[in-house]
Amino acid sequence: MKPRVFSGMQPSGNLHIGNYLGALKNWVRIQSDYEAIFCIVDMHAVTVYQNPDELRAKIRELAALYLAAGIDPKQSTIMVQSAVPAHAELCWMLTCVTPVGWLQRMTQFKAKAAEQETVGDGLLQYPVLMAADILLYQAAIVPVGEDQTQHLELTRDIAQRFNSLYGETFVMPETSLPSVGARIMGLDDPTKKMSKSAPGSGHAVALLDPPATIRKKIMRATTDSAPGVDFDVLSPGVANLLGIFQAFSGWDDAQMRAHFSGMRYGELKKQVADMVIANLEPLQKRYNEIVSEKGYVDAVLREGAERVTPIANATVELVKRRMGLYTPC
Ligand code: AMP
Ligand code: TRP
């Protein structure tokens, strides 16, 4: 049996090249080597308020983007978190073994909480639900971008604590980061991670941006005042542009140096824009085909939930038995 992979994304905001290079591209690459489950984590999205109509639409859009990027629903499972109630059930059981202090220390919690007037309990519980997502399927590998490494460490801590209290139950999941592209920075401010929620039209390249918009955003990206690329002193903006090119192209470091050393920033940006557009155009074409096929995305999601529900329910049963919760004889 192939080892299991699990990962997910929130159906909020617009998916950008950071999400693609940090996670989605890696998912597509490894899907044939594993039994892969790719989730649309709508219950994570509602830890901050989402407009219900927009959220409904975003769930299907994200599923279509998974498919357009190359996730093959015959090989891998695409499913929505809230369609499998076991995620919420296991979350509660894990909540009971998780010290609040662990959650209050999470950097993402601290950053998101600082943006809210009142902080919902769900925001604090966010990483416990993420641990439930992963442990529910006994996933061995979790491919994510670098910003999720702290949450993955917490998942292992929770699993270990449960195992030591109630006996060996959970597989320890490993984090898998891409070698290039694990942390793509904002084009307008390369000291900040590219994010779905950051304001400003020059911040992120969305996967569904038209080519002219992509080009405009990249040509305006922040660099520095040097005349051209010097690999010995790369400023964050130039390093980010080179990282984007390298992650899309798959070039190695030697190829990158040979090609870009001394290149003027205007030319560098042009080549980065060409590379991004050449990679996103086929994805966008497939996306349009997928959404024009009525009922297709919903059928994939329905089948996905059906496929994983028995696995998820078996884990919940096991956890109930381990904890002494009621299970009918
Ligand atoms: P999210 O948008 O928070 O649901 O993230 C979905 C996936 O994209 C996660 O695996 C993140 O680690 C990854 N990701 C998000 N932003 C970036 C970024 N700027 N660079 C690389 N990976 C990212
Ligand atoms: N927290 C992740 C993010 O924002 C999304 C997520 C939820 C996830 N559950 C997961 C990622 C399980 C990997 C595995 O990117």
Side-chain angles (χ1 to χ4, degrees):
M1 229 174 68
K2 291 178 180 174
R4 198 170 286 145
V5 158
F6 183 96
S7 197
M9 289 195 196
Q10 301 182 69
S12 53
N14 292 322
L15 226 65
H16 52 66
I17 55 173
N19 300 122
Y20 180 73
L21 297 173
L24 195 46
K25 188 168 187 275
N26 219 6
W27 299 0
V28 175
R29 187 174 59 79
I30 66 176
Q31 65 177 332
S32 55
D33 299 328
Y34 297 94
E35 182 195 333
I37 303 170
F38 299 117
C39 191
I40 292 154
V41 292
D42 55 348
M43 297 198 298
H44 277 105
V46 296
T47 56
V48 295
Y49 176 80
Q50 304 292 330
N51 174 289
D53 287 329
E54 276 172 28
L55 181 60
R56 255 186 292 278
K58 284 282 170 196
I59 290 167
R60 289 174 175 87
E61 179 187 302
L62 186 54
L65 280 168
Y66 284 5
L67 292 162
I71 301 297
D72 174 3
K74 289 199 189 71
Q75 211 170 85
S76 306
T77 299
I78 300 178
M79 43 100 36
V80 182
Q81 188 182 36
S82 65
V84 180
H87 288 252
E89 280 186 271
L90 182 60
C91 180
W92 175 254
M93 295 153 194
L94 298 181
T95 293
C96 297
V97 302
T98 307
V100 179
W102 289 5
L103 302 174
Q104 286 166 332
R105 276 201 295 275
M106 292 289 109
T107 41
Q108 190 174 300
F109 168 71
K110 287 193 276 189
K112 284 199 184 176
E115 291 167 7
Q116 310 291 319
E117 253 176 56
T118 40
V119 179
D121 188 23
L123 211 50
L124 187 65
Q125 301 295 321
Y126 182 110
V128 187
L129 180 58
M130 178 162 165
D133 295 341
I134 297 164
L135 301 177
L136 195 55
Y137 300 104
Q138 306 282 15
I141 312 276
V142 183
V144 284
E146 196 192 79
D147 60 346
Q148 296 303 313
T149 49
Q150 195 186 34
H151 286 158
L152 263 300
E153 278 163 30
L154 185 83
T155 298
R156 286 188 290 271
D157 288 343
I158 293 173
Q160 231 144 30
R161 199 174 158 97
F162 189 98
N163 285 354
S164 69
L165 283 170
Y166 295 108
E168 275 314 298
T169 306
F170 294 120
V171 168
M172 286 303 141
E174 259 177 52
T175 310
S176 161
L177 297 181
S179 54
V180 187
R183 189 175 177 82
I184 300 295
M185 310 306 280
L187 294 176
D188 56 345
D189 180 357
T191 63
K192 296 212 170 70
K193 183 189 73 165
M194 187 177 281
S195 116
K196 287 174 183 162
S197 54
S201 57
H203 173 76
V205 171
L207 295 188
L208 297 176
D209 273 347
T213 308
I214 297 176
R215 191 171 297 282
K216 201 161 86 190
K217 286 178 177 175
I218 292 174
M219 294 311 290
R220 284 192 190 154
T222 301
T223 48
D224 57 62
S225 57
V229 179
D230 178 350
F231 277 87
D232 295 329
V233 279
L234 289 179
S235 61
V238 176
N240 191 40
L241 288 170
L242 290 166
I244 292 169
F245 185 99
Q246 186 170 15
F248 272 113
S249 65
W251 287 12
D252 63 25
D253 291 350
Q255 275 173 298
M256 290 296 293
R257 269 178 186 264
H259 184 79
F260 286 109
S261 283
M263 188 182 282
R264 293 190 163 273
Y265 293 152
E267 179 61 19
L268 163 70
K269 288 177 175 176
K270 185 184 163 298
Q271 296 200 13
V272 174
D274 289 344
M275 177 57 70
V276 175
I277 291 167
N279 276 269
L280 294 190
E281 264 186 334
L283 183 150
Q284 296 179 355
K285 190 168 165 277
R286 282 196 299 275
Y287 176 85
N288 289 327
E289 286 163 9
I290 288 160
V291 294
S292 68
E293 204 178 319
K294 224 176 158 297
Y296 176 61
V297 168
D298 279 287
V300 167
L301 294 177
R302 204 175 318 115
E303 198 193 314
E306 279 169 14
R307 223 187 279 167
V308 297
T309 292
I311 309 171
N313 288 347
T315 305
V316 167
E317 272 295 304
L318 172 67
V319 170
K320 279 186 173 175
R321 270 190 272 115
R322 287 280 148 84
M323 294 180 88
L325 290 166
Y326 174 70
T327 49
C329 304

